[in-house]
Amino acid sequence: MNFVKRAGLSLWARKGKTLITLFTFLVISAMVLAGVLINEATAQAEEKARRSVGAEVNLDMDLGQLGAGGGGGGGGGMMAPRISAATADKLGDLPPVQKYNYSMFDAVTLKGGVKLSTEGGPPDASTGMKPDQTMATGVLDSGLLSDFRSGRFELLSGRHITAADKDKKQLLLEERLAEKNGIEAGDKITLGAMVGKTEADFTVAGIYRNPSPSTELDPEHLLNPANLLYATVGTLAALGTDSGEPLQVSRATFLLNDADELGAFKAQARKVAGSELDGFRLDANDKAIRQMTGPLKSISSTATIAMWLIGIAGATVLALLVNLAVKQRRKEYGVLLAMGEHKGRLIAQQALEIVVVAVVAIGLSSLFTQSLTQRAGQSLLGREAADAQRKLDSWQAPPPGSTGLDQGIDPNDEPVENADPIDRITVRLDPADLATVGGVGLGIGLLATALPAASVLRLSPRTILTKGK
């Protein structure tokens, strides 16, 4: 009788042990498959989140270098670093970059009778500016500003400032300032330099809405948010600099084609910009991605740990079962060996019995594991996402003019708008998953037979049949 037939008869004759082995394999297969499915589902959700947010790299001042005396751009001491717009353009032309934007800011004087919005109180005298002066941010492309991209700011009329407007006199006004002065898109207003008599007529390209109330000062400039302007970077810079001086900017944002190209972009940027990057840091704005995918990483880690624990425990149980079976079948093996059966065929029979049970268990687990994993994973993710959302909702910004550090508030923990924690995953079972689980299951089964197989090789039919050993 060949060993394949003997394996089938042995499994049938020992139904109790076969069922115990099958149940053990079924638990192992279900847990391993669930771990694989959850890891795949979370990976797909993370990738989708990464694609939706995009890869954003910010070039901003490095406060550590600034405090140590690095000023960048030829500055020193506590001077804010600047980089030439020409170099920023070169960085924006690098292959990994999809779009880019850069900006600078300066104080300007409103001319021609245009009045600042005083809703919420008069301008803060601590800024050192006059009642007709406010801050303007010069930008290359206003549509790429994070507040506009996230939907926090809304363009109500007109159009955005674009790179094509770099040397044109274009302006964006907040709706409260525009309403106070009866200004609409297409109108012209005159801006003057904070110091000196330089002035220029700007066309209002668009009117935007900043949802911040006038009573809450802008945290960067400590001014009424209704009075903050956005202007074309080239013409705004010309108001406060000598004619012919190269345009310099204080910050830049680069949107990459793929988040995986971050390392390559940083290396190329340092090569292109060289010492101009002194005083700056290149930071990936992955805070939104971390905020969205935090719950996913938590359940993925839990599933991975559970998968390993069940796999190791299952392999141990199987090894004990197989080892016990070898001891209980010593006489059977002794008779077969006395009849001339090769030891290798006995080991093959033992392995085949395990493989058959493993295949049946994997097949059964594939019938119900997907639905169970979807429900269990969704329930677990829902709780993690709810906890994460509660933490985000409970965060409170420090009072205006305060860093919040003395109150135990870290401004870097401020939640990112429109980046809610992901609370849904979709579990899908495909042939590759079954192949993975099959490989793991068979590997565990064969590993479980390896040690008992050594005892088969040491069997002596004469000793077994005469002494029972």
Side-chain angles (χ1 to χ4, degrees), residues 117-331:
S117 173
T118 55
E119 179 185 353
D124 188 353
S126 65
T127 61
M129 289 190 288
K130 299 176 183 178
D132 60 350
Q133 293 179 333
T134 187
M135 293 299 299
T137 300
V139 296
L140 182 68
D141 191 329
S142 60
L144 296 181
L145 293 170
S146 59
D147 284 321
F148 281 109
R149 287 196 296 116
S150 68
R152 182 171 177 267
F153 286 5
E154 180 184 358
L155 186 68
L156 301 178
S157 62
R159 64 176 182 85
H160 274 292
I161 295 170
T162 66
D165 302 318
K166 182 177 178 180
D167 295 316
K168 299 177 182 177
K169 300 178 179 66
Q170 301 288 321
L171 197 66
L172 290 186
L173 260 63
E174 210 279 331
E175 65 169 333
R176 287 164 287 189
L177 180 61
E179 288 176 357
K180 180 179 179 66
N181 293 279
I183 297 174
E184 298 180 349
D187 292 346
K188 290 183 179 293
I189 64 173
T190 303
L191 297 182
M194 184 177 183
V195 178
K197 298 182 179 180
T198 305
E199 59 182 51
D201 293 331
F202 284 75
T203 299
V204 178
I207 308 294
Y208 76 96
R209 174 179 293 160
N210 180 343
S212 300
S214 296
T215 52
E216 293 184 8
L217 300 183
D218 176 77
E220 185 172 13
H221 303 298
L222 302 180
L223 291 173
N224 185 334
N227 295 324
L228 300 180
L229 315 176
Y230 290 98
T232 45
V233 64
T235 50
L236 178 64
L239 281 179
T241 59
D242 295 332
S243 178
E245 184 177 334
L247 173 61
Q248 300 218 325
V249 296
S250 55
R251 62 183 59 168
T253 300
F254 304 92
L255 301 180
L256 308 186
N257 296 307
D258 194 321
D260 294 335
E261 296 180 316
L262 173 61
F265 171 72
K266 284 186 174 182
Q268 294 175 36
R270 291 189 178 94
K271 185 176 180 180
V272 169
S275 61
E276 285 196 72
L277 287 184
D278 293 346
F280 286 98
R281 67 169 184 258
L282 278 171
D283 281 341
N285 185 19
D286 56 355
K287 184 177 179 180
I289 297 175
R290 292 197 306 271
Q291 182 172 302
M292 295 172 68
T293 62
L296 294 175
K297 293 185 182 298
S298 179
I299 69 166
S300 179
S301 298
T302 301
T304 300
I305 292 173
M307 181 176 66
W308 276 102
L309 289 177
I310 293 296
I312 293 172
T316 303
V317 171
L318 284 175
L320 293 174
L321 289 174
V322 173
N323 192 51
L324 180 61
V326 170
K327 290 182 178 180
Q328 292 176 340
R329 297 167 68 179
R330 291 176 69 83
K331 287 188 177 180

Side-chain angles (χ1 to χ4, degrees), residues 399-445:
S402 171
T403 62
L405 296 179
D406 56 341
Q407 304 166 27
I409 302 174
D410 186 352
N412 292 326
D413 291 337
E414 181 179 2
V416 179
E417 296 285 342
N418 300 317
D420 295 333
I422 294 175
D423 59 359
R424 293 200 62 80
I425 55 172
T426 301
V427 174
R428 293 187 180 90
L429 176 65
D430 56 44
D433 298 325
L434 282 179
T436 300
V437 176
V440 172
L442 293 178
I444 290 175

